[in-house]
RNA sequence: GUCCCCAUCGUCUAGUGGCCUAGGACAUCGGGUUUUCAUCCCGAAAACACGGGUUCGACUCCCGUUGGGGACGCCA
């Protein structure tokens, strides 16, 4: 069989993470079976559908590498076919006109359910059945003459020769009606596979109110598309063994609809971050550098005068501990500006201690006297000072780190100092000495 | 309310009657490496919702209970 799947979003806003996962599974299944993956824009809601949203869908799919086959179908252009189908159903008695009165004006077309039980074998859930008495007739054409979702959906899927409908399980109920429609239209119903939903930490459907609900959010936050794809694929499906980091080719090769989970899944952002870090560390320094540059530009930290050599060195130092590209800003801003923030707790703990300022001053003076200011010399020097004070190197290292970076952690201190350069390091220590001089008790911050 | 669906560690999952004293990953905690953070290595704690069956034997099959979700539109 020539397998054809489709992703049928309605372009009414940003692309939701749950929707894109549906797209991913459709795409995977088509690619796995050597079939076609189609796209249909269900843009019949004229009030809410926008060209921007359509673009948003294209962008999101491209970003994640979800390539589709054939020309996308715009449902709004299929009106004639929908009406033709309605006429046909009317003509053969499978539908009838009715004036429902009340709020509506004029007649609607109602589809006559056969009154028999309807069942199907869901690829993921197994056998499904619904009693005929629980399947009432339903409207397929509104009184204003426009087709209702059920009609348009089925007619278009028939038109596109969709063989496997993979969609959210909130459509299970619709499926019984759709199957009746297929049959009335003289078409063999396709296979169905209903995916569980993605829920929030309260077990409720994951909605826009939960934050980071859209593909664009992850893109902005500096996630790597392959990592997000990998994470999402595993949210509801597993290859059956312990593999987790999967390349595009691997997931395509391994994907099976029958292995999709039937229970709802919850996003775990920490695991996503971990996975992103795994992918990030596999990228070349140059690639990371470019992505980080975009972040820095977007956040106003990029300066044309930044030397390429310096910049690449910084990326080298930072990328080991980065999880997402925006970390270059969140924990590396001090490499790019003198106006870097100080972590309160770190200042209190490392500079607020008795004697900390004296030690910092001592190191500062020794650093200032250094001819060659590099990783090696600064380390030798600092350790010497520590010996003279009869103290642990840590009592000097920490204050220097906080003074120079404002942070409790970061790259190895001495390589960081070398990258920053003597002049900047001395200046920063001086400023810290001045600024935190009066720091006597922890409350004074 | 009616109908449908779901149920393994905190989270994502492996498990299709004996291989399970239930495996992996993230997160957590402890230890090692690192003068710090991260990486890395080692280790710990952590789950079959409950009750009945079926069976020589149930996480696995059946029924019920509970809990959760979904659908009941001239929305999609």
């Amino acid at each position: 069989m020539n397998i054809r799947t489709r992703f049928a979003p309605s372009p009414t806003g940003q692309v939701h993470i749950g929707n894109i996962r549906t797209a991913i599974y459709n795409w995977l299944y088509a690619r796995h079976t050597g079939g076609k993956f189609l796209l249909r824009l269900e843009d019949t809601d004229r009030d809410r559908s926008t060209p921007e949203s359509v673009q948003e869908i294209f962008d999101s799919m491209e970003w994640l590498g979800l390539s589709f086959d054939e020309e996308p179908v715009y449902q709004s252009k299929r009106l004639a076919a929908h009406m033709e189908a309605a006429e046909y159903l009317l003509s053969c008695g499978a539908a009838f006109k009715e004036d429902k009165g009340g709020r509506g004006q004029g007649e609607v077309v109602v589809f006559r359910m056969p009154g028999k039980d309807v069942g199907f074998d869901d690829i993921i859930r197994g056998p499904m059945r619904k009693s005929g008495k629980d399947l009432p007739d339903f409207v397929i054409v509104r009184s204003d003459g426009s087709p209702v979702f059920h009609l348009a959906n089925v007619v278009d899927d028939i038109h596109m020769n969709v063989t496997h409908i993979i969609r959210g399980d909130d459509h299970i109920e619709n499926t019984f009606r759709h199957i009746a429609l297929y049959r009335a239209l003289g078409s063999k119903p396709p296979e169905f596979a209903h995916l569980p939903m993605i829920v929030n930490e309260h077990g409720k459907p994951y909605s826009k109110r939960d934050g980071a609900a859209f593909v664009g959010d992850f893109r902005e936050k500096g996630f790597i598309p392959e990592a997000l794809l990998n994470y999402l694929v595993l949210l509801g499906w597993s290859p059956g063994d312990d593999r987790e980091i999967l390349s595009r080719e691997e997931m395509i090769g391994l994907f099976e609809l029958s292995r999709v989970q039937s229970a709802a899944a919850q996003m775990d952002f920490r695991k996503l971050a971990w996975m992103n870090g795994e992918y990030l560390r596999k990228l070349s320094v140059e690639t990371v550098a470019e992505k980080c540059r975009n972040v820095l530009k977007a956040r106003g930290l990029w300066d044309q005068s930044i030397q390429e050599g310096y910049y690449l060195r910084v990326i080298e130092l930072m990328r080991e501990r980065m999880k997402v590209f925006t970390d270059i800003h969140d924990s590396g801003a001090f490499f790019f500006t003198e106006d870097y923030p100080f972590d309160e707790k770190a200042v209190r703990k490392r500079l607020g201690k008795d004697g900390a300022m004296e030690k910092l001053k001592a190191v500062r003076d020794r650093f200032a006297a250094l001819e060659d200011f590099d990783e090696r010399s600064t380390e030798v020097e600092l350790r010497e000072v520590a010996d003279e004070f009869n103290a642990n190197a840590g009592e000097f290292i920490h204050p220097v780190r906080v003074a120079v970076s404002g942070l409790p952690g970061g790259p190895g201190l001495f390589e960081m100092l070398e990258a920053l350069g003597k002049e900047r390091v001395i200046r920063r220590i001086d400023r810290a000495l001045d600024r935190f001089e009066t720091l006597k008790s922890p409350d004074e911050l």
Side-chain angles (χ1 to χ4, degrees), chain A residues 341-382:
Chain A
F342 280 85
D343 181 89
E344 260 189 52
K345 266 173 66 183
V347 170
R348 216 176 285 159
K349 183 170 174 192
R350 303 304 187 186
L351 298 179
K353 255 191 198 142
D354 271 355
M357 295 309 260
E358 288 72 22
K359 288 170 183 157
L360 183 58
K361 178 76 168 70
V363 183
R364 179 248 176 250
D365 291 341
R366 296 285 286 269
F367 277 177
L370 276 176
E371 286 278 316
D372 297 314
F373 191 85
D374 57 31
E375 184 177 343
R376 203 185 146 70
S377 65
T378 51
E379 173 155 15
V380 169
E381 206 66 16
L382 183 140

Side-chain angles (χ1 to χ4, degrees), chain A residues 122-152:
Chain A
D122 192 284
I123 299 174
I124 295 170
R125 312 287 177 121
M128 299 286 186
R129 183 154 299 277
K130 190 143 177 153
S131 165
K133 67 174 160 47
D134 295 318
L135 293 166
D137 298 344
F138 59 97
V139 174
I140 52 175
V141 179
R142 301 188 187 88
S143 53
D144 67 0
S146 63
V148 168
F149 161 74
H150 304 293
L151 210 220

Side-chain angles (χ1 to χ4, degrees), chain A residues 180-432:
Chain A
L181 265 177
Y182 274 98
R183 300 216 251 247
L185 256 9
S187 267
K188 182 172 168 287
E191 297 291 319
F192 290 91
H194 287 97
L195 269 22
M197 322 207 82
I198 298 179
V199 298
N200 65 20
E201 63 270 35
H202 306 296
K204 303 286 180 192
Y206 191 64
S207 78
K208 36 193 139 269
R209 305 187 57 195
D210 292 305
F214 304 111
V215 178
D217 294 340
F218 293 92
R219 197 174 176 174
E220 277 165 33
K221 282 171 191 279
F223 282 92
I224 296 167
E226 285 74 20
L228 182 62
L229 178 74
N230 195 155
Y231 178 77
L232 254 19
V233 163
L234 256 25
L235 200 59
W237 172 82
S238 80
D241 54 32
D242 292 337
R243 271 179 290 184
E244 296 215 288
I245 303 289
L246 302 170
S247 71
R248 218 168 267 274
E249 292 66 36
E250 284 174 313
M251 52 180 85
I252 287 172
L254 294 166
F255 188 76
E256 291 292 347
L257 274 179
S258 55
R259 290 197 59 84
V260 172
Q261 204 75 12
S262 48
Q266 201 175 309
M267 289 276 285
D268 181 353
F269 293 92
R270 288 178 302 187
K271 182 156 185 175
L272 207 209
W274 163 78
M275 192 168 272
N276 201 72
E278 292 289 303
Y279 275 85
L280 197 149
R281 258 168 260 120
K282 284 189 203 156
L283 298 177
S284 68
V285 177
E286 288 71 26
T287 306
V288 178
E290 192 201 325
K291 298 293 181 188
C292 288
R293 190 171 3 240
N294 293 337
V295 171
L296 293 170
K297 281 178 181 167
R299 311 244 177 142
L301 279 178
W302 184 255
D303 185 330
Q304 283 305 330
S305 65
I306 294 173
Q307 299 289 310
E308 188 64 10
Y310 171 74
Y311 181 59
L312 287 178
R313 179 65 183 140
V314 168
I315 296 302
E316 257 175 31
L317 295 180
M318 288 299 293
R319 79 168 182 150
E320 279 298 293
R321 60 216 81 224
M322 285 174 38
K323 286 221 161 68
V324 294
F325 294 127
T326 46
D327 284 345
I328 194 65
H329 165 267
D330 298 338
S331 45
F334 66 91
F335 278 118
F336 306 101
T337 175
E338 290 307 306
D339 189 26
Y340 53 93
F342 280 85
D343 181 89
E344 260 189 52
K345 266 173 66 183
V347 170
R348 216 176 285 159
K349 183 170 174 192
R350 303 304 187 186
L351 298 179
K353 255 191 198 142
D354 271 355
M357 295 309 260
E358 288 72 22
K359 288 170 183 157
L360 183 58
K361 178 76 168 70
V363 183
R364 179 248 176 250
D365 291 341
R366 296 285 286 269
F367 277 177
L370 276 176
E371 286 278 316
D372 297 314
F373 191 85
D374 57 31
E375 184 177 343
R376 203 185 146 70
S377 65
T378 51
E379 173 155 15
V380 169
E381 206 66 16
L382 183 140
R383 289 189 186 286
E384 269 182 32
V385 182
D387 280 346
E388 289 163 21
F389 271 73
N390 221 338
N392 285 329
E395 292 178 49
F396 293 81
I397 287 168
H398 294 297
V400 172
R401 171 185 293 287
V402 174
V404 171
S405 74
L407 299 171
L413 179 70
F414 304 108
E415 48 190 6
M416 191 167 102
L417 292 179
E418 179 177 332
L420 249 15
K422 179 175 171 180
E423 191 200 339
R424 241 192 303 197
V425 168
I426 300 297
R427 198 190 325 140
R428 289 184 180 190
I429 295 179
D430 281 339
R431 226 172 27 225

